[in-house]
Amino acid sequence: MPHRMRPTEELRYLILAAQREGNRLLLQALRPLGITPSQAEVIRILQDHQPLALNSLGDLLVCESGNSPSRLVDRLTSAGLVDRQISAFDRRHVELTLTEEGRRLAGQITAIEEDLYRSIDAAVEGRDTDQITGFLRAFVADLPAGRALARRIAS
């Protein structure tokens, strides 16, 4: 006799499938740029909020929530996309900014994200997404990734 999924089990797997497929599409689109979705998220956050201290960047990251983004930033710095400068206000803090190449790449990432959002817009056209968005927001509200997203929305 086949296993019948509970509605919550199906919901769990639908969330997982949507996340994986969305990430796969984004990874595929970013591949020609030579960056990962996590690296793209760092670049886009810096584009919107630079200069930014490393810990402040970590507070806004959904892809690495709860972890230090040091390795991500190290890779982007080595690639010439992010610049690290000692803060003029507090020498213990390092401020992160995009280099000229990083700013150029941020524009390309924005275009890729817009394409992804248009696909999602088309898929949800005619559907009320307020309930599912509200549910998902409440579901992750007290979790690290949910708090990072809330800080991004508020900033």
Side-chain angles (χ1 to χ4, degrees), residues 49-87:
H49 300 283
Q50 65 184 339
L52 204 55
L54 186 64
N55 62 338
S56 298
L57 172 65
D59 288 344
L60 298 175
L61 279 173
V62 173
C63 70
E64 297 277 325
S65 56
N67 298 320
S68 170
S70 296
R71 284 187 301 228
L72 272 172
V73 171
D74 288 345
R75 286 187 203 109
L76 293 170
T77 301
S78 295
L81 302 172
V82 171
D83 188 36
R84 295 174 186 245
Q85 296 290 322
I86 295 175
S87 170

Side-chain angles (χ1 to χ4, degrees), residues 95-152:
E95 289 184 340
L96 306 171
T97 56
L98 292 175
T99 63
E100 185 176 328
E101 179 64 17
R103 288 189 299 276
R104 185 191 64 74
L105 199 60
Q108 292 178 285
I109 293 166
T110 300
I112 288 169
E113 289 176 342
E114 285 302 319
D115 286 345
L116 180 61
Y117 300 149
R118 277 193 289 279
S119 296
I120 295 169
D121 286 341
V124 299
E125 189 174 342
R127 291 179 167 79
D128 181 8
T129 59
D130 290 344
Q131 282 190 331
I132 190 71
T133 303
F135 162 74
L136 291 171
R137 196 176 290 128
F139 185 72
V140 301
D142 294 326
L143 301 172
R147 288 191 299 268
L149 181 58
R151 284 188 290 270
R152 290 249 298 273

